[in-house]
Amino acid sequence: MNLTDAPLFAPLSMQDASPTSRTLLEQAHRYFGFVPNLLATMAHSPSALRVYFNADLGFKHGTLTPGEQQIVLLAASKENDCRYCTASHGALARFFANVPGDAILAIESGSPLSDPKLNALVNVTKQLVSQRGYVPRETINAFIEAGYSKDQLLEVLVGVGLKTISNYFDHISAVEVDSEFLRN
């Protein structure tokens, strides 16, 4: 989509959303203190919004730390060239998950992270995205040698799947980044 094209979908207000989507948007409002534009726009399809929420809930209940989860979501979003999700997960990593600013900047710029364990997490995430799941065994071995388990590789895969939904949705409909997610 050319960014000069009008978005395919506009965010829905809670009043305009279906009852199912409204319930989910109310949950988002309680969590964030506002309804992010991505979710308000995805509310056009209660099914899509519910799948996204359920995937997010499953991902959050994994064994990766909240910071590691945000790193996966940010790295996948950056690799997928998603403007909205890169901005939102950069902010969420910084303000809610206490990810160091230098790690966020390294992911956003495509530079290696100074922390070898987190760098292995970013590398496996980026390769899952860029190689469409065909990650070289060396990358997986480096991930495990850095201190992650094989089971956590599956959690990273869930995070990539979650971001594939939202990243591709942003590509379809160029969602406006919320001011709450923009750097001051």
Side-chain angles (χ1 to χ4, degrees), residues 24 27 46-61 158 162 165:
L24 296 169
Q27 289 176 13
S47 173
L49 189 59
R50 183 181 303 280
V51 165
Y52 189 73
F53 266 71
N54 287 335
D56 184 57
L57 183 63
F59 185 60
K60 285 180 181 168
H61 282 92
V158 170
L162 177 65
I165 294 169

Short mmCIF file of all heavy atoms in Angstrom, two decimals, residues 24 27 46-61 158 162 165:
data_model
loop_
_atom_site.label_atom_id
_atom_site.label_comp_id
_atom_site.label_asym_id
_atom_site.label_seq_id
_atom_site.Cartn_x
_atom_site.Cartn_y
_atom_site.Cartn_z
N LEU A 24 -14.07 -6.29 23.85
CA LEU A 24 -12.62 -6.38 23.75
C LEU A 24 -11.96 -5.01 23.82
O LEU A 24 -10.91 -4.84 24.44
CB LEU A 24 -12.24 -7.12 22.47
CG LEU A 24 -12.70 -8.59 22.42
CD1 LEU A 24 -12.52 -9.16 21.02
CD2 LEU A 24 -11.96 -9.43 23.45
N GLN A 27 -11.74 -3.92 27.33
CA GLN A 27 -10.59 -4.56 28.00
C GLN A 27 -9.30 -3.82 27.66
O GLN A 27 -8.46 -3.59 28.54
CB GLN A 27 -10.47 -6.02 27.56
CG GLN A 27 -11.52 -6.94 28.09
CD GLN A 27 -11.38 -8.34 27.53
OE1 GLN A 27 -10.37 -8.70 26.93
NE2 GLN A 27 -12.41 -9.15 27.71
N PRO A 46 -14.83 -8.67 14.52
CA PRO A 46 -14.75 -9.23 15.87
C PRO A 46 -13.90 -10.51 15.91
O PRO A 46 -13.19 -10.75 16.87
CB PRO A 46 -16.20 -9.52 16.24
CG PRO A 46 -17.01 -8.60 15.38
CD PRO A 46 -16.23 -8.45 14.10
N SER A 47 -13.96 -11.30 14.85
CA SER A 47 -13.18 -12.53 14.78
C SER A 47 -11.68 -12.21 14.80
O SER A 47 -10.92 -12.82 15.56
CB SER A 47 -13.54 -13.31 13.51
OG SER A 47 -12.70 -14.41 13.35
N ALA A 48 -11.25 -11.29 13.96
CA ALA A 48 -9.83 -10.92 13.91
C ALA A 48 -9.37 -10.35 15.25
O ALA A 48 -8.30 -10.69 15.75
CB ALA A 48 -9.57 -9.92 12.79
N LEU A 49 -10.19 -9.50 15.83
CA LEU A 49 -9.83 -8.88 17.11
C LEU A 49 -9.74 -9.93 18.20
O LEU A 49 -8.81 -9.92 19.01
CB LEU A 49 -10.85 -7.79 17.47
CG LEU A 49 -10.51 -6.90 18.65
CD1 LEU A 49 -9.18 -6.16 18.43
CD2 LEU A 49 -11.64 -5.89 18.88
N ARG A 50 -10.67 -10.87 18.23
CA ARG A 50 -10.65 -11.93 19.24
C ARG A 50 -9.41 -12.82 19.06
O ARG A 50 -8.74 -13.17 20.03
CB ARG A 50 -11.91 -12.76 19.18
CG ARG A 50 -11.95 -13.84 20.28
CD ARG A 50 -13.19 -14.71 20.23
NE ARG A 50 -14.43 -13.97 20.30
CZ ARG A 50 -14.98 -13.50 21.42
NH1 ARG A 50 -14.36 -13.68 22.57
NH2 ARG A 50 -16.12 -12.86 21.38
N VAL A 51 -9.09 -13.21 17.85
CA VAL A 51 -7.90 -14.03 17.59
C VAL A 51 -6.65 -13.28 18.06
O VAL A 51 -5.78 -13.85 18.72
CB VAL A 51 -7.80 -14.42 16.10
CG1 VAL A 51 -6.41 -14.94 15.75
CG2 VAL A 51 -8.86 -15.43 15.74
N TYR A 52 -6.58 -12.00 17.75
CA TYR A 52 -5.42 -11.21 18.14
C TYR A 52 -5.30 -11.14 19.68
O TYR A 52 -4.22 -11.34 20.23
CB TYR A 52 -5.52 -9.80 17.53
CG TYR A 52 -4.27 -9.00 17.72
CD1 TYR A 52 -3.12 -9.28 17.00
CD2 TYR A 52 -4.23 -7.96 18.63
CE1 TYR A 52 -1.96 -8.55 17.18
CE2 TYR A 52 -3.07 -7.22 18.82
CZ TYR A 52 -1.94 -7.52 18.10
OH TYR A 52 -0.80 -6.80 18.29
N PHE A 53 -6.42 -10.88 20.36
CA PHE A 53 -6.41 -10.83 21.82
C PHE A 53 -6.01 -12.17 22.42
O PHE A 53 -5.22 -12.22 23.36
CB PHE A 53 -7.80 -10.43 22.35
CG PHE A 53 -7.96 -8.97 22.60
CD1 PHE A 53 -8.02 -8.07 21.55
CD2 PHE A 53 -8.05 -8.48 23.89
CE1 PHE A 53 -8.17 -6.72 21.78
CE2 PHE A 53 -8.21 -7.13 24.13
CZ PHE A 53 -8.26 -6.24 23.08
N ASN A 54 -6.56 -13.26 21.88
CA ASN A 54 -6.24 -14.58 22.42
C ASN A 54 -4.78 -14.94 22.20
O ASN A 54 -4.14 -15.52 23.09
CB ASN A 54 -7.17 -15.65 21.83
CG ASN A 54 -8.56 -15.56 22.41
OD1 ASN A 54 -8.78 -15.06 23.51
ND2 ASN A 54 -9.54 -16.02 21.65
N ALA A 55 -4.24 -14.62 21.04
CA ALA A 55 -2.82 -14.87 20.78
C ALA A 55 -1.95 -14.05 21.73
O ALA A 55 -0.96 -14.55 22.28
CB ALA A 55 -2.47 -14.58 19.33
N ASP A 56 -2.34 -12.81 21.95
CA ASP A 56 -1.60 -11.94 22.87
C ASP A 56 -1.64 -12.50 24.29
O ASP A 56 -0.62 -12.55 24.97
CB ASP A 56 -2.16 -10.52 22.82
CG ASP A 56 -1.37 -9.56 23.67
OD1 ASP A 56 -0.15 -9.42 23.45
OD2 ASP A 56 -1.97 -8.93 24.58
N LEU A 57 -2.80 -12.95 24.71
CA LEU A 57 -2.94 -13.52 26.05
C LEU A 57 -2.08 -14.76 26.20
O LEU A 57 -1.38 -14.93 27.21
CB LEU A 57 -4.41 -13.84 26.33
CG LEU A 57 -4.74 -14.36 27.71
CD1 LEU A 57 -4.41 -13.31 28.78
CD2 LEU A 57 -6.22 -14.73 27.79
N GLY A 58 -2.10 -15.63 25.20
CA GLY A 58 -1.26 -16.82 25.25
C GLY A 58 0.21 -16.48 25.31
O GLY A 58 0.97 -17.09 26.07
N PHE A 59 0.62 -15.50 24.52
CA PHE A 59 2.02 -15.09 24.50
C PHE A 59 2.44 -14.54 25.86
O PHE A 59 3.51 -14.86 26.37
CB PHE A 59 2.23 -14.05 23.40
CG PHE A 59 3.66 -13.63 23.21
CD1 PHE A 59 4.64 -14.54 22.87
CD2 PHE A 59 4.01 -12.30 23.33
CE1 PHE A 59 5.96 -14.15 22.67
CE2 PHE A 59 5.32 -11.89 23.15
CZ PHE A 59 6.30 -12.81 22.82
N LYS A 60 1.58 -13.72 26.47
CA LYS A 60 1.91 -13.12 27.77
C LYS A 60 2.05 -14.15 28.88
O LYS A 60 2.69 -13.89 29.89
CB LYS A 60 0.85 -12.09 28.15
CG LYS A 60 0.96 -10.82 27.37
CD LYS A 60 -0.11 -9.83 27.79
CE LYS A 60 0.04 -8.56 26.96
NZ LYS A 60 -1.11 -7.68 27.12
N HIS A 61 1.42 -15.32 28.73
CA HIS A 61 1.48 -16.35 29.76
C HIS A 61 2.63 -17.34 29.54
O HIS A 61 2.66 -18.39 30.17
CB HIS A 61 0.13 -17.09 29.85
CG HIS A 61 -0.89 -16.30 30.58
ND1 HIS A 61 -1.76 -15.44 29.94
CD2 HIS A 61 -1.18 -16.20 31.90
CE1 HIS A 61 -2.53 -14.86 30.83
NE2 HIS A 61 -2.21 -15.31 32.02
N VAL A 158 5.15 -17.90 18.57
CA VAL A 158 3.83 -17.32 18.86
C VAL A 158 3.89 -15.79 18.75
O VAL A 158 3.01 -15.16 18.18
CB VAL A 158 3.31 -17.76 20.25
CG1 VAL A 158 2.07 -16.98 20.66
CG2 VAL A 158 3.03 -19.25 20.27
N LEU A 162 1.75 -13.47 16.26
CA LEU A 162 0.97 -12.34 16.76
C LEU A 162 1.30 -11.08 15.96
O LEU A 162 0.42 -10.34 15.51
CB LEU A 162 1.28 -12.15 18.25
CG LEU A 162 0.65 -11.00 18.98
CD1 LEU A 162 -0.86 -11.16 19.06
CD2 LEU A 162 1.24 -10.92 20.39
N ILE A 165 0.03 -10.90 12.28
CA ILE A 165 -1.35 -10.42 12.14
C ILE A 165 -1.38 -8.90 12.16
O ILE A 165 -1.92 -8.26 11.25
CB ILE A 165 -2.24 -10.99 13.27
CG1 ILE A 165 -2.38 -12.50 13.15
CG2 ILE A 165 -3.61 -10.30 13.26
CD1 ILE A 165 -3.01 -13.16 14.37
#
